[in-house]
Amino acid sequence: MSARAIAEQNGAALTDSRADQTVAAQSRPRGAPQKKSNKRDIHGWVVLDKPVGMTSTHAVAVIKRLYAAKRAGHAGTLDPLASGCLPIALGEATKTVPYAVDSRKTYLFTVRWGEERDTDDAEGRVVATSDRRPDAAAIQALLPRFTGTIEQVPPRYSAIKVDGERAYDLARGGETLELAPRTIEIHHLQVIDMPDPDHAVLAAECGKGTYVRSLARDLGRALGALGHVSALRRNRVGPFHEADMIPLEQVEALCHRAAAGEGHLADTLLPIETALDDIPALAVSPADAARLSRGQAALLRGRDASIIRGVVQVAASGQLVAIAEVERGEIIPRRVFNLAGIAGRAGRKRVQDDVDNDRA
C-alpha cells in the first residue's frame, strides 16, 4: 500500500478527535480560558466483541470515552445487525488500521430463505418472496460459483459513495440505485448447519470489500429461493481472532479496575504491532531509530542487508519505531510512531485472563 493511500485512510481515523476539538471551540464563550483536556495519549488495540444493535461508530465512541483517548478508529465496519470482531485502534495504533482492514476476515452467517429484502438483511422491507427451499446438497453444489475471484454488486444500503453521496442515504431517500459490481475474493465458503428448511448457516473467509449481505442475496437468487441475512457474526479480522475479543461490559470493568489502581490500562490493550503480524520485523540501533523517528532514512546494516527489501516494521530495544520500506540498502520511514504516553503491552493470554478473572 502506498504512503499516500495509508495517509488518506488514517485521516478518516482522526476525524473524531478533530471534530471534538471543533465542537469544543465553538461552544466556548469568546474570551473564556481554554479548558484543559483530560484526554490521554494512549496507544494500542481493543478487540471488541460488538453486540447486536450497536453501530461501529457508536462502539468506537464508547471505547474512546472509556479510555479517554485522543484518537480512535476501527478496522472495518460491522452493521448494527452483526456481532463480533471489531478491532478498535487507539492513538498511534490508528496508523496501522489500513493493514488490518486489508486483511482476510471470517464470518458465520445465517440465510433466511423465501424472502428478499431491500437491505439484504432482516432489518429491511420484503421486496420479493419464493416458496422454494433449497437442501444442503443444492447449496453446497452452488458454492464453487461463489468462491475465488468473483464480481459482486454491493447492497443498495451500503456506505459506498455515489456522486459524492452515501448509497444508503440515497436509498433511504427513495432513489433507485444501480451500483457497479466490484471484484472481490472469497477464499472459503461452506454450509455449517441447516436448522430447518427456512434457514442455512454458512461460514465464509473473504478479502477486503466483500459484503456478506450481497452473498446471501446472490445465493438466494441463484437457487431460486431468494434470501437475506438474518444473523451475522464476524469472528476474525486479519490477526485479530475470536480469542482476542472482549465484550463491552468487560472492557468497562477492566477500565474501572485500572482507574481504581487495580491494574494498568496498558495491560488491557494489545500492542500496536499486533496489526502488523504479517510484516517482517527489523531491529535497528538506537542511533538509527532516532534518525527514522525524525523521518530520515537510515542505512541497512548486517549480513542480511542485501536480501531484505519491501515493507518492514522497525523496532529498537523492543519498541516499535516505524513502518518503513527497504530500498537499495536504505530504510525509508513511511509511518513513524510517537509512543509517548500509555502504550498497550498486554499479551493475548493476559487480556483474556483479566476478562476471565472479572467474570469469576
Side-chain angles (χ1 to χ4, degrees), residues 242-259:
E242 189 95 30
D244 300 320
M245 288 190 263
I246 306 178
L248 182 57
E249 61 272 19
Q250 299 298 331
V251 179
E252 292 173 337
L254 291 172
C255 287
H256 293 328
R257 282 169 51 189

Side-chain angles (χ1 to χ4, degrees), residues 109 119-121 146 151-156 158 179 184 186 209-221 227-229:
F109 63 103
T119 59
D120 299 319
D121 64 20
F146 292 89
E151 295 291 302
Q152 183 186 75
V153 176
R156 288 186 298 156
S158 64
L179 297 178
I184 60 162
I186 297 181
T210 302
Y211 283 93
V212 175
R213 285 182 288 147
S214 291
L215 184 57
R217 177 200 67 206
D218 295 343
L219 283 170
R221 289 177 180 177
H228 64 271
V229 169

Side-chain angles (χ1 to χ4, degrees), residues 163-197:
D163 296 330
E165 300 286 337
R166 297 290 183 187
Y168 53 67
D169 288 330
L170 297 173
R172 286 170 187 152
E175 291 194 33
T176 302
L177 301 176
E178 293 294 335
L179 297 178
R182 292 179 159 197
T183 302
I184 60 162
E185 187 83 17
I186 297 181
H187 305 281
H188 179 74
L189 192 57
Q190 180 182 0
V191 177
I192 299 298
D193 190 21
M194 295 280 291
D196 57 58

Side-chain angles (χ1 to χ4, degrees), residues 40 42 44-49 54 56-69 71-73 86-90 246-252 255 269:
R40 292 182 282 232
I42 185 162
W45 287 93
V46 177
V47 188
L48 183 67
D49 188 346
M54 175 180 272
S56 296
T57 300
H58 184 205
V60 171
V62 171
I63 295 298
K64 186 181 177 187
R65 174 181 55 78
L66 284 171
Y67 283 88
R71 291 180 294 168
L86 183 66
I88 298 176
L90 301 179
I246 306 178
L248 182 57
E249 61 272 19
Q250 299 298 331
V251 179
E252 292 173 337
C255 287
L269 293 169

Side-chain angles (χ1 to χ4, degrees), residues 2-13 98 335:
S2 68
R4 179 178 178 181
I6 292 172
E8 287 173 350
Q9 293 193 48
N10 284 330
R335 272 286 169 220

